[in-house]
PDB file of all heavy atoms in Angstrom:
ATOM      1  N   GLY A  18      -5.860 -47.300  -3.372  1.00  0.00           N
ATOM      2  CA  GLY A  18      -7.253 -47.134  -3.152  1.00  0.00           C
ATOM      3  C   GLY A  18      -7.615 -45.837  -2.562  1.00  0.00           C
ATOM      4  O   GLY A  18      -8.623 -45.099  -2.928  1.00  0.00           O
ATOM      5  N   TYR A  19      -6.860 -45.312  -1.650  1.00  0.00           N
ATOM      6  CA  TYR A  19      -7.087 -44.016  -0.937  1.00  0.00           C
ATOM      7  C   TYR A  19      -6.844 -42.864  -1.936  1.00  0.00           C
ATOM      8  O   TYR A  19      -7.653 -41.909  -2.025  1.00  0.00           O
ATOM      9  CB  TYR A  19      -6.298 -43.850   0.302  1.00  0.00           C
ATOM     10  CG  TYR A  19      -6.703 -42.669   1.167  1.00  0.00           C
ATOM     11  CD1 TYR A  19      -7.795 -42.802   2.060  1.00  0.00           C
ATOM     12  CD2 TYR A  19      -6.027 -41.463   1.067  1.00  0.00           C
ATOM     13  CE1 TYR A  19      -8.162 -41.695   2.714  1.00  0.00           C
ATOM     14  CE2 TYR A  19      -6.500 -40.421   1.823  1.00  0.00           C
ATOM     15  CZ  TYR A  19      -7.546 -40.479   2.604  1.00  0.00           C
ATOM     16  OH  TYR A  19      -8.050 -39.429   3.320  1.00  0.00           O
ATOM     17  N   GLN A  20      -5.719 -42.995  -2.646  1.00  0.00           N
ATOM     18  CA  GLN A  20      -5.471 -41.985  -3.649  1.00  0.00           C
ATOM     19  C   GLN A  20      -6.480 -41.794  -4.723  1.00  0.00           C
ATOM     20  O   GLN A  20      -6.841 -40.787  -5.152  1.00  0.00           O
ATOM     21  CB  GLN A  20      -4.065 -42.183  -4.191  1.00  0.00           C
ATOM     22  CG  GLN A  20      -2.892 -42.063  -3.201  1.00  0.00           C
ATOM     23  CD  GLN A  20      -1.600 -42.656  -3.751  1.00  0.00           C
ATOM     24  OE1 GLN A  20      -1.542 -43.173  -4.839  1.00  0.00           O
ATOM     25  NE2 GLN A  20      -0.610 -42.447  -2.984  1.00  0.00           N
ATOM     26  N   PHE A  21      -6.930 -43.030  -5.130  1.00  0.00           N
ATOM     27  CA  PHE A  21      -8.068 -43.011  -6.120  1.00  0.00           C
ATOM     28  C   PHE A  21      -9.284 -42.388  -5.633  1.00  0.00           C
ATOM     29  O   PHE A  21      -9.975 -41.551  -6.246  1.00  0.00           O
ATOM     30  CB  PHE A  21      -8.347 -44.493  -6.639  1.00  0.00           C
ATOM     31  CG  PHE A  21      -9.429 -44.528  -7.642  1.00  0.00           C
ATOM     32  CD1 PHE A  21      -9.101 -44.374  -8.964  1.00  0.00           C
ATOM     33  CD2 PHE A  21     -10.705 -44.831  -7.287  1.00  0.00           C
ATOM     34  CE1 PHE A  21     -10.030 -44.431  -9.967  1.00  0.00           C
ATOM     35  CE2 PHE A  21     -11.699 -44.855  -8.291  1.00  0.00           C
ATOM     36  CZ  PHE A  21     -11.346 -44.605  -9.590  1.00  0.00           C
ATOM     37  N   ALA A  22      -9.705 -42.682  -4.346  1.00  0.00           N
ATOM     38  CA  ALA A  22     -10.803 -42.102  -3.664  1.00  0.00           C
ATOM     39  C   ALA A  22     -10.750 -40.587  -3.649  1.00  0.00           C
ATOM     40  O   ALA A  22     -11.595 -39.845  -3.796  1.00  0.00           O
ATOM     41  CB  ALA A  22     -11.173 -42.689  -2.362  1.00  0.00           C
ATOM     42  N   LEU A  23      -9.489 -40.074  -3.261  1.00  0.00           N
ATOM     43  CA  LEU A  23      -9.208 -38.685  -3.125  1.00  0.00           C
ATOM     44  C   LEU A  23      -9.384 -37.968  -4.554  1.00  0.00           C
ATOM     45  O   LEU A  23      -9.963 -37.022  -4.674  1.00  0.00           O
ATOM     46  CB  LEU A  23      -7.814 -38.416  -2.569  1.00  0.00           C
ATOM     47  CG  LEU A  23      -7.322 -37.022  -2.442  1.00  0.00           C
ATOM     48  CD1 LEU A  23      -8.237 -36.281  -1.394  1.00  0.00           C
ATOM     49  CD2 LEU A  23      -5.865 -37.008  -1.988  1.00  0.00           C
ATOM     50  N   LEU A  24      -8.816 -38.593  -5.614  1.00  0.00           N
ATOM     51  CA  LEU A  24      -8.899 -38.028  -6.895  1.00  0.00           C
ATOM     52  C   LEU A  24     -10.315 -37.985  -7.422  1.00  0.00           C
ATOM     53  O   LEU A  24     -10.810 -36.992  -7.902  1.00  0.00           O
ATOM     54  CB  LEU A  24      -8.026 -38.908  -7.853  1.00  0.00           C
ATOM     55  CG  LEU A  24      -8.146 -38.444  -9.445  1.00  0.00           C
ATOM     56  CD1 LEU A  24      -7.765 -37.068  -9.570  1.00  0.00           C
ATOM     57  CD2 LEU A  24      -7.385 -39.492 -10.250  1.00  0.00           C
ATOM     58  N   VAL A  25     -11.159 -39.023  -7.118  1.00  0.00           N
ATOM     59  CA  VAL A  25     -12.621 -38.998  -7.574  1.00  0.00           C
ATOM     60  C   VAL A  25     -13.354 -37.965  -6.778  1.00  0.00           C
ATOM     61  O   VAL A  25     -14.069 -37.227  -7.360  1.00  0.00           O
ATOM     62  CB  VAL A  25     -13.132 -40.467  -7.282  1.00  0.00           C
ATOM     63  CG1 VAL A  25     -14.727 -40.361  -7.419  1.00  0.00           C
ATOM     64  CG2 VAL A  25     -12.601 -41.483  -8.276  1.00  0.00           C
ATOM     65  N   ALA A  26     -13.023 -37.834  -5.514  1.00  0.00           N
ATOM     66  CA  ALA A  26     -13.653 -36.765  -4.743  1.00  0.00           C
ATOM     67  C   ALA A  26     -13.428 -35.382  -5.303  1.00  0.00           C
ATOM     68  O   ALA A  26     -14.292 -34.585  -5.502  1.00  0.00           O
ATOM     69  CB  ALA A  26     -13.371 -36.868  -3.258  1.00  0.00           C
ATOM     70  N   LEU A  27     -12.149 -35.130  -5.814  1.00  0.00           N
ATOM     71  CA  LEU A  27     -11.836 -33.847  -6.331  1.00  0.00           C
ATOM     72  C   LEU A  27     -12.425 -33.642  -7.713  1.00  0.00           C
ATOM     73  O   LEU A  27     -13.054 -32.649  -7.991  1.00  0.00           O
ATOM     74  CB  LEU A  27     -10.248 -33.818  -6.370  1.00  0.00           C
ATOM     75  CG  LEU A  27      -9.596 -33.551  -5.110  1.00  0.00           C
ATOM     76  CD1 LEU A  27      -8.064 -33.847  -5.213  1.00  0.00           C
ATOM     77  CD2 LEU A  27      -9.836 -32.088  -4.571  1.00  0.00           C
ATOM     78  N   ALA A  28     -12.351 -34.782  -8.504  1.00  0.00           N
ATOM     79  CA  ALA A  28     -12.861 -34.696  -9.957  1.00  0.00           C
ATOM     80  C   ALA A  28     -14.369 -34.475  -9.872  1.00  0.00           C
ATOM     81  O   ALA A  28     -14.905 -33.712 -10.730  1.00  0.00           O
ATOM     82  CB  ALA A  28     -12.482 -35.928 -10.564  1.00  0.00           C
ATOM     83  N   GLU A  29     -15.113 -35.180  -9.010  1.00  0.00           N
ATOM     84  CA  GLU A  29     -16.534 -35.012  -8.961  1.00  0.00           C
ATOM     85  C   GLU A  29     -17.006 -33.653  -8.545  1.00  0.00           C
ATOM     86  O   GLU A  29     -18.247 -33.314  -8.703  1.00  0.00           O
ATOM     87  CB  GLU A  29     -17.201 -36.176  -8.055  1.00  0.00           C
ATOM     88  CG  GLU A  29     -17.123 -37.465  -8.707  1.00  0.00           C
ATOM     89  CD  GLU A  29     -17.739 -38.592  -7.813  1.00  0.00           C
ATOM     90  OE1 GLU A  29     -17.758 -38.417  -6.529  1.00  0.00           O
ATOM     91  OE2 GLU A  29     -18.047 -39.671  -8.361  1.00  0.00           O
ATOM     92  N   ASN A  30     -16.055 -32.931  -7.931  1.00  0.00           N
ATOM     93  CA  ASN A  30     -16.366 -31.547  -7.476  1.00  0.00           C
ATOM     94  C   ASN A  30     -15.520 -30.545  -8.302  1.00  0.00           C
ATOM     95  O   ASN A  30     -15.107 -29.477  -7.664  1.00  0.00           O
ATOM     96  CB  ASN A  30     -16.145 -31.416  -5.987  1.00  0.00           C
ATOM     97  CG  ASN A  30     -17.133 -32.209  -5.170  1.00  0.00           C
ATOM     98  OD1 ASN A  30     -18.258 -31.786  -5.026  1.00  0.00           O
ATOM     99  ND2 ASN A  30     -16.839 -33.481  -4.785  1.00  0.00           N
ATOM    100  N   ALA A  31     -15.185 -30.869  -9.512  1.00  0.00           N
ATOM    101  CA  ALA A  31     -14.343 -29.943 -10.286  1.00  0.00           C
ATOM    102  C   ALA A  31     -14.833 -28.528 -10.240  1.00  0.00           C
ATOM    103  O   ALA A  31     -16.062 -28.242 -10.406  1.00  0.00           O
ATOM    104  CB  ALA A  31     -14.327 -30.442 -11.742  1.00  0.00           C
ATOM    105  N   GLY A  32     -13.962 -27.630 -10.113  1.00  0.00           N
ATOM    106  CA  GLY A  32     -14.267 -26.168 -10.126  1.00  0.00           C
ATOM    107  C   GLY A  32     -14.522 -25.717  -8.684  1.00  0.00           C
ATOM    108  O   GLY A  32     -14.605 -24.542  -8.522  1.00  0.00           O
ATOM    109  N   ARG A  33     -14.810 -26.577  -7.758  1.00  0.00           N
ATOM    110  CA  ARG A  33     -15.116 -26.151  -6.262  1.00  0.00           C
ATOM    111  C   ARG A  33     -13.900 -26.294  -5.500  1.00  0.00           C
ATOM    112  O   ARG A  33     -13.207 -27.284  -5.505  1.00  0.00           O
ATOM    113  CB  ARG A  33     -16.215 -27.093  -5.691  1.00  0.00           C
ATOM    114  CG  ARG A  33     -17.609 -26.799  -6.314  1.00  0.00           C
ATOM    115  CD  ARG A  33     -18.614 -27.704  -5.639  1.00  0.00           C
ATOM    116  NE  ARG A  33     -18.624 -27.512  -4.173  1.00  0.00           N
ATOM    117  CZ  ARG A  33     -18.910 -28.391  -3.293  1.00  0.00           C
ATOM    118  NH1 ARG A  33     -19.303 -29.622  -3.673  1.00  0.00           N
ATOM    119  NH2 ARG A  33     -18.879 -28.200  -2.021  1.00  0.00           N
ATOM    120  N   VAL A  34     -13.706 -25.330  -4.577  1.00  0.00           N
ATOM    121  CA  VAL A  34     -12.574 -25.315  -3.605  1.00  0.00           C
ATOM    122  C   VAL A  34     -13.086 -26.269  -2.555  1.00  0.00           C
ATOM    123  O   VAL A  34     -14.071 -26.042  -1.894  1.00  0.00           O
ATOM    124  CB  VAL A  34     -12.182 -24.021  -3.052  1.00  0.00           C
ATOM    125  CG1 VAL A  34     -11.117 -24.140  -1.911  1.00  0.00           C
ATOM    126  CG2 VAL A  34     -11.730 -23.119  -4.234  1.00  0.00           C
ATOM    127  N   LEU A  35     -12.238 -27.276  -2.239  1.00  0.00           N
ATOM    128  CA  LEU A  35     -12.548 -28.249  -1.146  1.00  0.00           C
ATOM    129  C   LEU A  35     -11.511 -28.127  -0.093  1.00  0.00           C
ATOM    130  O   LEU A  35     -10.383 -28.306  -0.279  1.00  0.00           O
ATOM    131  CB  LEU A  35     -12.576 -29.723  -1.754  1.00  0.00           C
ATOM    132  CG  LEU A  35     -13.612 -30.007  -2.846  1.00  0.00           C
ATOM    133  CD1 LEU A  35     -13.295 -31.444  -3.225  1.00  0.00           C
ATOM    134  CD2 LEU A  35     -14.959 -29.707  -2.406  1.00  0.00           C
ATOM    135  N   SER A  36     -12.009 -28.001   1.157  1.00  0.00           N
ATOM    136  CA  SER A  36     -11.159 -27.737   2.330  1.00  0.00           C
ATOM    137  C   SER A  36     -10.760 -29.287   2.710  1.00  0.00           C
ATOM    138  O   SER A  36     -11.328 -30.252   2.339  1.00  0.00           O
ATOM    139  CB  SER A  36     -11.917 -27.140   3.494  1.00  0.00           C
ATOM    140  OG  SER A  36     -12.948 -28.024   3.903  1.00  0.00           O
ATOM    141  N   ARG A  37      -9.739 -29.335   3.632  1.00  0.00           N
ATOM    142  CA  ARG A  37      -9.369 -30.692   4.197  1.00  0.00           C
ATOM    143  C   ARG A  37     -10.517 -31.327   4.754  1.00  0.00           C
ATOM    144  O   ARG A  37     -10.628 -32.626   4.609  1.00  0.00           O
ATOM    145  CB  ARG A  37      -8.188 -30.487   5.254  1.00  0.00           C
ATOM    146  CG  ARG A  37      -6.954 -30.104   4.699  1.00  0.00           C
ATOM    147  CD  ARG A  37      -5.983 -30.006   5.843  1.00  0.00           C
ATOM    148  NE  ARG A  37      -4.603 -29.532   5.479  1.00  0.00           N
ATOM    149  CZ  ARG A  37      -3.639 -29.506   6.157  1.00  0.00           C
ATOM    150  NH1 ARG A  37      -3.707 -29.996   7.451  1.00  0.00           N
ATOM    151  NH2 ARG A  37      -2.506 -29.069   5.738  1.00  0.00           N
ATOM    152  N   GLU A  38     -11.335 -30.633   5.550  1.00  0.00           N
ATOM    153  CA  GLU A  38     -12.469 -31.265   6.241  1.00  0.00           C
ATOM    154  C   GLU A  38     -13.520 -31.762   5.249  1.00  0.00           C
ATOM    155  O   GLU A  38     -14.039 -32.897   5.395  1.00  0.00           O
ATOM    156  CB  GLU A  38     -13.132 -30.238   7.172  1.00  0.00           C
ATOM    157  CG  GLU A  38     -12.307 -29.828   8.360  1.00  0.00           C
ATOM    158  CD  GLU A  38     -11.173 -28.805   7.926  1.00  0.00           C
ATOM    159  OE1 GLU A  38     -11.345 -28.117   6.944  1.00  0.00           O
ATOM    160  OE2 GLU A  38     -10.172 -28.671   8.767  1.00  0.00           O
ATOM    161  N   THR A  39     -13.733 -31.056   4.147  1.00  0.00           N
ATOM    162  CA  THR A  39     -14.669 -31.524   3.144  1.00  0.00           C
ATOM    163  C   THR A  39     -14.035 -32.783   2.457  1.00  0.00           C
ATOM    164  O   THR A  39     -14.810 -33.677   2.245  1.00  0.00           O
ATOM    165  CB  THR A  39     -14.894 -30.380   2.201  1.00  0.00           C
ATOM    166  OG1 THR A  39     -15.447 -29.328   2.835  1.00  0.00           O
ATOM    167  CG2 THR A  39     -15.931 -30.864   1.025  1.00  0.00           C
ATOM    168  N   LEU A  40     -12.845 -32.759   2.140  1.00  0.00           N
ATOM    169  CA  LEU A  40     -12.174 -33.984   1.565  1.00  0.00           C
ATOM    170  C   LEU A  40     -12.332 -35.092   2.471  1.00  0.00           C
ATOM    171  O   LEU A  40     -12.604 -36.264   1.967  1.00  0.00           O
ATOM    172  CB  LEU A  40     -10.718 -33.639   1.179  1.00  0.00           C
ATOM    173  CG  LEU A  40     -10.488 -32.908  -0.092  1.00  0.00           C
ATOM    174  CD1 LEU A  40      -9.067 -32.465  -0.260  1.00  0.00           C
ATOM    175  CD2 LEU A  40     -11.034 -33.550  -1.288  1.00  0.00           C
ATOM    176  N   MET A  41     -12.126 -34.908   3.734  1.00  0.00           N
ATOM    177  CA  MET A  41     -12.255 -36.077   4.694  1.00  0.00           C
ATOM    178  C   MET A  41     -13.660 -36.655   4.644  1.00  0.00           C
ATOM    179  O   MET A  41     -13.745 -37.836   4.516  1.00  0.00           O
ATOM    180  CB  MET A  41     -11.870 -35.632   6.167  1.00  0.00           C
ATOM    181  CG  MET A  41     -10.453 -35.509   6.434  1.00  0.00           C
ATOM    182  SD  MET A  41     -10.059 -35.116   8.183  1.00  0.00           S
ATOM    183  CE  MET A  41     -11.475 -34.531   8.915  1.00  0.00           C
ATOM    184  N   ASP A  42     -14.621 -35.820   4.581  1.00  0.00           N
ATOM    185  CA  ASP A  42     -16.019 -36.272   4.576  1.00  0.00           C
ATOM    186  C   ASP A  42     -16.340 -37.057   3.211  1.00  0.00           C
ATOM    187  O   ASP A  42     -16.976 -38.035   3.337  1.00  0.00           O
ATOM    188  CB  ASP A  42     -16.947 -35.184   4.689  1.00  0.00           C
ATOM    189  CG  ASP A  42     -17.028 -34.414   6.123  1.00  0.00           C
ATOM    190  OD1 ASP A  42     -16.516 -35.182   6.987  1.00  0.00           O
ATOM    191  OD2 ASP A  42     -17.477 -33.365   6.173  1.00  0.00           O
ATOM    192  N   LEU A  43     -15.726 -36.531   2.125  1.00  0.00           N
ATOM    193  CA  LEU A  43     -15.981 -37.136   0.827  1.00  0.00           C
ATOM    194  C   LEU A  43     -15.284 -38.501   0.703  1.00  0.00           C
ATOM    195  O   LEU A  43     -15.769 -39.401   0.153  1.00  0.00           O
ATOM    196  CB  LEU A  43     -15.524 -36.153  -0.288  1.00  0.00           C
ATOM    197  CG  LEU A  43     -16.477 -34.932  -0.340  1.00  0.00           C
ATOM    198  CD1 LEU A  43     -15.934 -34.010  -1.475  1.00  0.00           C
ATOM    199  CD2 LEU A  43     -17.844 -35.323  -0.821  1.00  0.00           C
ATOM    200  N   VAL A  44     -14.035 -38.452   1.231  1.00  0.00           N
ATOM    201  CA  VAL A  44     -13.225 -39.752   1.043  1.00  0.00           C
ATOM    202  C   VAL A  44     -13.574 -40.825   2.136  1.00  0.00           C
ATOM    203  O   VAL A  44     -13.457 -41.994   1.791  1.00  0.00           O
ATOM    204  CB  VAL A  44     -11.709 -39.369   1.043  1.00  0.00           C
ATOM    205  CG1 VAL A  44     -10.854 -40.621   1.042  1.00  0.00           C
ATOM    206  CG2 VAL A  44     -11.376 -38.464  -0.051  1.00  0.00           C
ATOM    207  N   LYS A  45     -14.062 -40.366   3.303  1.00  0.00           N
ATOM    208  CA  LYS A  45     -14.448 -41.310   4.322  1.00  0.00           C
ATOM    209  C   LYS A  45     -13.489 -42.366   4.611  1.00  0.00           C
ATOM    210  O   LYS A  45     -13.651 -43.494   4.160  1.00  0.00           O
ATOM    211  CB  LYS A  45     -15.837 -41.866   3.940  1.00  0.00           C
ATOM    212  CG  LYS A  45     -16.938 -40.921   3.899  1.00  0.00           C
ATOM    213  CD  LYS A  45     -18.241 -41.643   3.628  1.00  0.00           C
ATOM    214  CE  LYS A  45     -19.379 -40.684   3.673  1.00  0.00           C
ATOM    215  NZ  LYS A  45     -19.597 -39.771   2.584  1.00  0.00           N
ATOM    216  N   GLY A  46     -12.561 -42.114   5.452  1.00  0.00           N
ATOM    217  CA  GLY A  46     -11.657 -43.088   5.866  1.00  0.00           C
ATOM    218  C   GLY A  46     -10.302 -42.523   6.083  1.00  0.00           C
ATOM    219  O   GLY A  46     -10.055 -41.463   5.682  1.00  0.00           O
ATOM    220  N   GLU A  47      -9.431 -43.331   6.668  1.00  0.00           N
ATOM    221  CA  GLU A  47      -8.103 -42.913   6.878  1.00  0.00           C
ATOM    222  C   GLU A  47      -7.172 -43.606   5.986  1.00  0.00           C
ATOM    223  O   GLU A  47      -7.370 -44.782   5.817  1.00  0.00           O
ATOM    224  CB  GLU A  47      -7.634 -43.056   8.380  1.00  0.00           C
ATOM    225  CG  GLU A  47      -8.410 -42.176   9.295  1.00  0.00           C
ATOM    226  CD  GLU A  47      -7.918 -42.274  10.615  1.00  0.00           C
ATOM    227  OE1 GLU A  47      -6.667 -42.581  10.834  1.00  0.00           O
ATOM    228  OE2 GLU A  47      -8.689 -42.059  11.593  1.00  0.00           O
ATOM    229  N   PRO A  48      -6.179 -42.957   5.461  1.00  0.00           N
ATOM    230  CA  PRO A  48      -5.141 -43.637   4.649  1.00  0.00           C
ATOM    231  C   PRO A  48      -4.360 -44.587   5.611  1.00  0.00           C
ATOM    232  O   PRO A  48      -4.185 -44.310   6.828  1.00  0.00           O
ATOM    233  CB  PRO A  48      -4.210 -42.522   4.168  1.00  0.00           C
ATOM    234  CG  PRO A  48      -4.468 -41.341   5.046  1.00  0.00           C
ATOM    235  CD  PRO A  48      -5.881 -41.522   5.495  1.00  0.00           C
ATOM    236  N   PRO A  49      -3.822 -45.684   5.107  1.00  0.00           N
ATOM    237  CA  PRO A  49      -3.144 -46.642   5.911  1.00  0.00           C
ATOM    238  C   PRO A  49      -1.909 -45.930   6.556  1.00  0.00           C
ATOM    239  O   PRO A  49      -1.226 -45.124   5.871  1.00  0.00           O
ATOM    240  CB  PRO A  49      -2.661 -47.762   4.875  1.00  0.00           C
ATOM    241  CG  PRO A  49      -3.570 -47.513   3.716  1.00  0.00           C
ATOM    242  CD  PRO A  49      -4.032 -46.080   3.699  1.00  0.00           C
ATOM    243  N   GLY A  50      -1.647 -46.181   7.804  1.00  0.00           N
ATOM    244  CA  GLY A  50      -0.527 -45.746   8.543  1.00  0.00           C
ATOM    245  C   GLY A  50      -0.561 -44.318   8.891  1.00  0.00           C
ATOM    246  O   GLY A  50       0.387 -43.725   9.309  1.00  0.00           O
TER     247      GLY A  50
END
């Protein structure tokens, strides 16, 4: 589920460079463990 959310966040912003912080904001949550 987390990997899917990460992929969607990247794909919905195709062509834009996303920092770690921006990805955290877009994915909203922590991966298990």
Side-chain angles (χ1 to χ4, degrees):
Y19 191 82
Q20 291 165 358
F21 182 82
L23 180 62
L24 176 59
V25 168
L27 287 161
E29 287 178 340
N30 290 280
R33 288 184 53 211
V34 177
L35 300 177
S36 68
R37 286 183 186 189
E38 293 78 20
T39 301
L40 281 171
M41 281 189 337
D42 289 343
L43 293 172
V44 174
K45 292 186 177 68
E47 293 189 26

